[in-house]
Amino acid sequence: MLTGKTIVVIGGDARNIEMMRQLVERDSLVYAVGFEEVDAQIEGVYFSTLENIPANQIDAVILPVSGLDEEGYAESHYAESSPMVQPEFFDTLSENCLVFTGIMTPLLSRLSEKIKIIPLFDRDDVAIYNSIPTAEGALMFAIQHTDFTVHDANVTIIGFGRVGKTLVHTFSALGANVSVCSRNEDELARIFEYHAKPVHIEDLDSSVENCNILVNTVPQLVVQPSTIRSLPLDSLIIDLASKPGGVDFRFAKKRGIKAILAPGLPGMVAPNTAGKILARVIQSVILKQES
Amino acid sequence: MLTGKTIVVIGGDARNIEMMRQLVERDSLVYAVGFEEVDAQIEGVYFSTLENIPANQIDAVILPVSGLDEEGYAESHYAESSPMVQPEFFDTLSENCLVFTGIMTPLLSRLSEKIKIIPLFDRDDVAIYNSIPTAEGALMFAIQHTDFTVHDANVTIIGFGRVGKTLVHTFSALGANVSVCSRNEDELARIFEYHAKPVHIEDLDSSVENCNILVNTVPQLVVQPSTIRSLPLDSLIIDLASKPGGVDFRFAKKRGIKAILAPGLPGMVAPNTAGKILARVIQSVILKQES
Amino acid sequence: MLTGKTIVVIGGDARNIEMMRQLVERDSLVYAVGFEEVDAQIEGVYFSTLENIPANQIDAVILPVSGLDEEGYAESHYAESSPMVQPEFFDTLSENCLVFTGIMTPLLSRLSEKIKIIPLFDRDDVAIYNSIPTAEGALMFAIQHTDFTVHDANVTIIGFGRVGKTLVHTFSALGANVSVCSRNEDELARIFEYHAKPVHIEDLDSSVENCNILVNTVPQLVVQPSTIRSLPLDSLIIDLASKPGGVDFRFAKKRGIKAILAPGLPGMVAPNTAGKILARVIQSVILKQES
Amino acid sequence: MLTGKTIVVIGGDARNIEMMRQLVERDSLVYAVGFEEVDAQIEGVYFSTLENIPANQIDAVILPVSGLDEEGYAESHYAESSPMVQPEFFDTLSENCLVFTGIMTPLLSRLSEKIKIIPLFDRDDVAIYNSIPTAEGALMFAIQHTDFTVHDANVTIIGFGRVGKTLVHTFSALGANVSVCSRNEDELARIFEYHAKPVHIEDLDSSVENCNILVNTVPQLVVQPSTIRSLPLDSLIIDLASKPGGVDFRFAKKRGIKAILAPGLPGMVAPNTAGKILARVIQSVILKQES
Ligand SMILES: NC(=O)c1ccc[n+]([C@@H]2O[C@H](COP(=O)([O-])OP(=O)(O)OC[C@H]3O[C@@H](n4cnc5c(N)ncnc54)[C@H](OP(=O)(O)O)[C@@H]3O)[C@@H](O)[C@H]2O)c1
Ligand SMILES: NC(=O)c1ccc[n+]([C@@H]2O[C@H](COP(=O)([O-])OP(=O)(O)OC[C@H]3O[C@@H](n4cnc5c(N)ncnc54)[C@H](OP(=O)(O)O)[C@@H]3O)[C@@H](O)[C@H]2O)c1
Ligand SMILES: NC(=O)c1ccc[n+]([C@@H]2O[C@H](COP(=O)([O-])OP(=O)(O)OC[C@H]3O[C@@H](n4cnc5c(N)ncnc54)[C@H](OP(=O)(O)O)[C@@H]3O)[C@@H](O)[C@H]2O)c1
Ligand SMILES: NC(=O)c1ccc[n+]([C@@H]2O[C@H](COP(=O)([O-])OP(=O)(O)OC[C@H]3O[C@@H](n4cnc5c(N)ncnc54)[C@H](OP(=O)(O)O)[C@@H]3O)[C@@H](O)[C@H]2O)c1
C-alpha cells in the first residue's frame, strides 16, 4: 500500500487514467495535471495545476510514457494544450522524490544529472508485462490481415527476447506451427523446450519457404531482401521492433508482400492493463526505495 | 484425388474461390458459373454459363453457402448479377450427381424430394472445422473491443457444443480464466478435464459477477436481463449464436454494457481456410459415395 | 449437501475410504461394513455390520467398484474376510433406496429386476472424470518404461473416446507429437482442432513407422501383427482397453517390442481422486432423484 | 557433420552409448574405451584401449558425466573395472584436441591449467536441454508418490531458473494450479506471463497452506522448518537441487511429510535423450572451435 504518499501525474493517455485509479486504490493521494477533458471524475484524484501543488511534499512525479519534449511539454490526450514543466519545478522537489517516465528524452537525460529519473520502459519487468498485450496485438493483426486461420499456420518469430518469448506462447497456444530464429545457442535450447522449432538466424532465409506469418522483434534490419524473396507471396509480415523497425518495407512492397509496422500495441489494445502494469511497478519501486 | 470428376460451382464468395483452387489441385475438372469479376484467372478453372456445360456429365454441383433463394438465384460476390438456376436444370443431372449447398432454403427443401442435396453446414465435421476460424474471430473481437488483455481476464463461455469446445481451447490457451456454462452433467465433467471451471447453466447469473468477457454459443435466449444485471458494467458480451442470437441486446444497451453480434466469422476472418474446409469435406463425400 | 441421508458402504478399497470422508463432509450419516482393518478412525464414519443397521432407514447402499460376486461377497481390502450380502438384505430396503456399484455382475443384473442398481462406471461423467487419472497413469508408464523423453516423442493414440480425448490433452501438453487414430469423420475433425494429427484407422499401419509410443484405448483387437510389424523395435505399446485388451501381446513379444497391459489406473495412481469422483457423482444422483 | 573427426569416449553409462551412436551418425570415427561389457556391437564404434589409439590424431576426448576421480579413473557402467587415464595421456594430445567432461573434479581442475577442458554440465544449453527429462522425472514421481491427480492439484515450484521454467510448463500443461517462488522481480513478471502464480520467496511460508506438491530447485536450504510446518500433512516434497539439496529432510520426516530427494533424473528417466543432448552440444562445440 502507498498510504501517505503524494503522487503527481503530469499528462498522458488512457493508460495513465487507469494508473491513477490503481494508485488511489493503493491509498495514495493523487494530483492530475493536464487532464481537464476527462469525461467523468476519477474518484480520489484531484485535478489541479503544477502551481497549486505543494512541491516539497511530493513523493513521486509521473510523466507520460513519452516523457518531456525539448521544451518541457508533457503530451496529454486529455487536455486542450499539453502541460508544460519548467526545469525549475524539479529544483523544488524534495531530495527523495522519484520522477518516473516511460522513455528518456534528451531533456530528461540532462535533468537526470541532478534528479533521479526512472525510465519505466527500460525495466525488464515492465517490458515483460508489456509483452503480453504486445503479443495479443500481434495476434489480432495476424487474424485480421490474413484470410487463413492462425491454427495450423506456419509462423516464424525472429528474436527470443522479452517480446519473442511471449509471442511463442501466444502463437503456439493457438495451434500454429511456430519456428523461432535466434543467434544464441542457449536460446535455441529454450526454444526447443518451448516445443517450437529452433532456427539459427543464419538459416532464416532457407527456413521461411513455407512461412505464412513472419513476426519480427529484433530492432535491427534482419528481414532483408533475401529473406523477403524466400517468403511465399501471400504471407504476412508483422514488425514489432521499434523504429525504424527490422523489415525492409520498401522491398516487401515491391515484392507484393503485405508488411505491417505495429508500434505501441500495449497502449492500443489494452490501455487499461498497461496502466495497471505501470501502477504495479511504480508501487514496487516506491516501496523498495523506502526499505 | 478427384481425378475424372466434373464439378460445377455456381455463385459464391471468397471461400468458393479457394475451394475451386483446392478442387483443381485434387485433379477434378471445375466449371465456374457467376464469377466473371474474378480479377485473375484461376488455373484449371473454366469460367462458363450453365447452358454451356454438358449437364449429364456433371458429378457434383456446388451452390453458395447461402443456397438458392426462392427464385433460384445463387448469390455471387464475383458477378454483376447473381446467376439463376432453373428447376429444370436439376432434371438434366445424372442420377448420381451430388448437389452441395451450405444451408437448406425452402426452394432446396422442395427440390430435395427429387434430387440428393447435401447441406454442408449441417454436417458435424464442417461445424467442427469451422469452429476454429469462429473462435479466432471471437478472440479478435475480444482483443479489439476491450481495453484489457485476454490473458488473466475472466471469460465465461455459454454452451459446450462444437463451437464452445473450441472456444475453451482458444481462450484458455491465451491465459484467460475460463468458466463454461452447460446444462449437461457429462459435459460438466469434460469441462473440468479441459481445466476450465464448470458452471451449471442454472448458476449462470451468480457466476458472472467478475466476468470480463461473456461469449454465448447457445441459440436460445439465455443471456437475459438477470444475467446482464449481474455482469460488471465494463464487461463485453460477444454473441456467436445464429439469428436472432441468445442475448437480450436491448437490455444490454439500456444497461450500458457493450454487446456484439458476430455472425459469419469463418467467411470473414478466414475465407481461405473456410474454402479449404469445404473442398476437403466435398471430396470426402464424393469418394464415400463412390465406394 | 446430503444432510439427513443415511449411507451404507459395504466393502471396497482405498477409493472407498476417501469417498466416505467426502460423504461425511457433505453431512450424510455413513456406516462402513467390512473395514475393520482401517488403521485410524475416519471421523464421522460408523464401523458396523449389516445386521446392526436399520435397513429401512437407508437412503443409499454403496457396493465396491467390483460389485458383488456370485455368492454375494463384496471384496474388501480392509477386512480379513470380505463381507457377504444376503439377497434378502435388498428386500428390507425402502423403495427409494439407491444401490450403487462400480460395474454390474451377473448377480447384480438378476437383482436389478427388483431393485434399482446404478452401475457408476457405465456413466459418462464417471468415465470422463476417471479418464484423468487414467491418462496420468499412462503418462507415468511412458516416462518410466522408455529411455527417451515424452517431449518431442512421436505418440500414437488409438481411439478418441472418453479416455482418448484426455490422453491427447495430456501427451500434447508435454510436447509430444501426437497422432490419433479414429474410424469416425467427425472425430477426425475434432482431432485436428486439438492440434493433433488425425489418422483414419484404416491407415494405422502405415502411420506408425516412426512411432515411439503407441497407446490403445479401443476395446477390440486393433493392434494386430501388421501394425506391430510396422512399429520401430524400440517403441513401447501401452494398452489401456479392458480385458482382453486390444493388442496382440503374443506377437509383440515375439517381435521383441515391449507391450504393457495397464488396467485399473485410477485406483492405482490416484485412489484419493477416484474416491472424490465417486462421492461427487453419488451426491449428484441422490439429489437428482429427490428433485 | 563431424566428417574426419576422431573421437575417443572413455567410460560412462547408458547416455554415452547413445551419444556414441549419434556421433557415428554424424560421420565421426569413434573409439570406445571401457565398454567391454556392452551386449551388442555398436555399428561404427571401435572398442579399444587408450594405448592402441594414436593420441595425436584425436580431435576430442569424452570423459564420463562424473569426470575423472582423484586417481584418474573414469567410472564405467559397461566394464568390469573402470578405465584409468594417466596424466601423461593428456600431454600426448594435439594442441587443438578438446576434452569434454560432465562436471569438473579436483583432478580435472588441476589439469585444466594445461589443457582445455569443457565441463558440459556447466553450459546453459546442456542445462536447458536436461531440464526436460528432469521435469518429466519430477512429474513421474508426483504421479507415483501421491494418491491424487496432478490435474487440479496445487503445485508450488521454488526457483525459476533453467529447471524451474521447464517445470512450470510441465505441471501447468497437466492442469495443475502452479505457484512459483522467486526472489527476483523480473522473474515474477515472467512467471505471471507463464500464467502461473508469482510468489515472492519471502512469502513462501504463507503461500503453501493448500499446497499438494512442493518441488524445489534452489540449491540452498530454502525449505526450512517454518515452510514445512505450513504444508498440509499429506503433501509431497520433491527436491531436485544438487546435494545437499534445499530441503530440511530431517524435519520433514519428523513432521510426517513425505520428502523425496531425486538426483540424476535425466540419466534415470531418459538416458537415450540425455545421450542425444550430449552429442548435439559436443558437435556444436567442435564445429564452433573450427570456425
Ligand atoms: N510494437 C510494440 O508494441 C512493441 C512492444 C514492446 C516492445 N517493442 C519493441 O520490440 C523490440 C523487442 O523488444 P524486447 O523487449 O523483446 O527486446 P529484447 O528483450 O532486447 O529482445 C530483442 C531480441 O533481439 C535479438 N537481437 C538483437 N539484435 C540482434 C541481431 N543483430 N541479430 C539477431 N538477433 C538480435 C536479441 O538477441 P540477443 O539476446 O542475442 O541479444 C533478443 O533476443 C524492441 O525494439 C522494442 O522496442 C515493440
Ligand atoms: N458466429 C459465427 O460465425 C458462427 C459460426 C459457427 C456457428 N455459429 C452458431 O453458433 C451456435 C452454436 O453452434 P454449435 O456448432 O456449437 O452448435 P452445437 O454443437 O449444437 O452447440 C450448441 C450448444 O448449446 C447448448 N444448448 C442448446 N440449447 C440450450 C439451452 N436451452 N440451454 C442451455 N444450453 C443449450 C447445447 O447443449 P446440449 O448438448 O445440452 O443440447 C450445445 O452445447 C449456432 O447457433 C450456430 O449457428 C455461429
Ligand atoms: N486402463 C485403465 O485404467 C482404464 C481406465 C478407463 C477406461 N479403460 C478402458 O479403456 C477403454 C476405452 O474407454 P473409454 O471410456 O474411452 O471408451 P469409449 O468412450 O467408448 O471410447 C472407445 C473408443 O474406441 C472406438 N472404437 C470402438 N470400437 C472400435 C473399432 N472396432 N475400431 C475403431 N475404433 C473403435 C470408439 O469409436 P466410436 O466412437 O467410433 O465407436 C471410441 O472412440 C475401455 O475398454 C475401458 O474399459 C481403462
Ligand atoms: N535432480 C536432477 O536430476 C537435476 C537435474 C538438473 C539440475 N539439477 C539441480 O537443480 C538445481 C537447479 O538447477 P538449474 O539448472 O535450474 O539452476 P539455475 O538455473 O541456476 O536456477 C536456480 C534458481 O535458484 C534461484 N536461487 C538460487 N539461490 C537462491 C536463494 N538463496 N534464494 C532464492 N532463490 C535462489 C536462482 O535465482 P536467481 O536467478 O535469483 O539467482 C534460480 O532461479 C541445481 O542444484 C542443479 O544441480 C538437478
Side-chain angles (χ1 to χ4, degrees), chain C residues 42-255:
Chain C
I42 310 175
E43 213 181 328
V45 172
Y46 299 89
F47 292 89
S48 184
T49 57
L50 273 189
E51 297 76 46
N52 291 320
I53 305 171
N56 61 338
Q57 286 166 29
I58 303 173
D59 295 291
V61 171
I62 303 176
L63 300 174
V65 162
S66 52
L68 289 185
D69 71 13
E70 207 46 13
E71 282 130 278
Y73 283 104
E75 198 183 349
S76 179
H77 288 206
Y78 295 95
E80 212 169 316
S81 56
S82 292
M84 209 259 238
V85 190
Q86 305 285 357
E88 297 75 46
F89 168 72
F90 294 102
D91 297 336
T92 61
L93 296 172
S94 85
E95 202 188 352
N96 292 321
C97 180
L98 297 168
V99 177
F100 294 93
T101 179
I103 57 170
M104 283 309 246
T105 61
L107 175 64
L108 289 173
S109 294
R110 292 194 307 273
L111 282 168
S112 73
E113 287 161 23
K114 291 193 299 186
I115 53 165
K116 173 130 214 232
I117 301 184
I118 296 153
L120 288 165
F121 280 30
D122 280 6
R123 289 175 59 96
D124 248 17
D125 53 1
V126 172
I128 293 171
Y129 285 124
N130 269 332
S131 72
I132 301 172
T134 304
E136 293 194 2
L139 179 63
M140 186 185 80
F141 280 127
I143 298 175
Q144 207 165 33
H145 290 283
T146 59
D147 55 6
F148 46 82
T149 55
V150 171
H151 182 271
D152 212 38
N154 298 325
V155 175
T156 295
I157 292 162
I158 313 182
F160 193 62
R162 294 164 307 190
V163 173
K165 285 191 180 66
T166 305
L167 283 170
V168 181
H169 275 157
T170 304
F171 279 87
S172 297
L174 276 220
N177 309 310
V178 177
S179 300
V180 189
C181 259
S182 166
R183 61 180 173 188
N184 176 308
E185 293 295 327
D186 302 336
E187 284 181 359
L188 291 173
R190 184 56 74 190
I191 290 162
F192 176 73
E193 186 270 313
Y194 269 58
H195 206 224
K197 191 170 168 228
V199 176
H200 197 284
I201 190 98
E202 286 171 8
D203 304 323
L204 172 60
D205 293 0
S206 62
S207 78
V208 296
E209 267 183 27
N210 295 310
C211 172
N212 302 122
I213 301 172
L214 180 75
V215 188
N216 176 56
T217 73
V218 172
Q220 302 278 344
L221 192 59
V222 285
V223 184
Q224 299 188 330
S226 65
T227 310
I228 295 171
R229 220 177 277 119
S230 309
L231 281 169
L233 289 178
D234 55 356
S235 59
L236 172 72
I237 302 173
I238 301 176
D239 192 5
L240 301 179
S242 302
K243 272 186 208 157
V247 175
D248 186 331
F249 281 93
R250 202 194 46 78
F251 190 81
K253 189 166 183 189
K254 190 170 152 198
R255 180 91 182 151

Side-chain angles (χ1 to χ4, degrees), chain A residues 207-221:
Chain A
S207 77
V208 296
E209 267 183 28
N210 295 310
C211 172
N212 302 121
I213 302 172
L214 180 74
V215 189
N216 176 57
T217 74
V218 172
Q220 302 278 344
L221 193 60

Side-chain angles (χ1 to χ4, degrees), chain A residues 132-133 136-137 139-140 143-144 146-151 169-171 173-174 234 268-274 276, chain B residues 132-133 136-137 139-140 143-144 146-151 169-171 173-174 234 268-274 276:
Chain A
I132 300 172
E136 294 194 1
L139 179 63
M140 186 186 78
I143 297 174
Q144 209 164 32
T146 59
D147 56 6
F148 46 81
T149 55
V150 171
H151 181 272
H169 276 157
T170 303
F171 280 87
L174 276 222
D234 55 358
M268 175 180 146
V269 301
N272 187 293
T273 301
K276 282 203 175 74
Chain B
I132 301 172
E136 293 194 3
L139 178 63
M140 186 186 78
I143 297 174
Q144 207 163 33
T146 60
D147 56 5
F148 46 83
T149 55
V150 171
H151 182 271
H169 276 156
T170 304
F171 280 87
L174 276 221
D234 55 356
M268 177 180 145
V269 302
N272 186 294
T273 301
K276 282 204 174 75

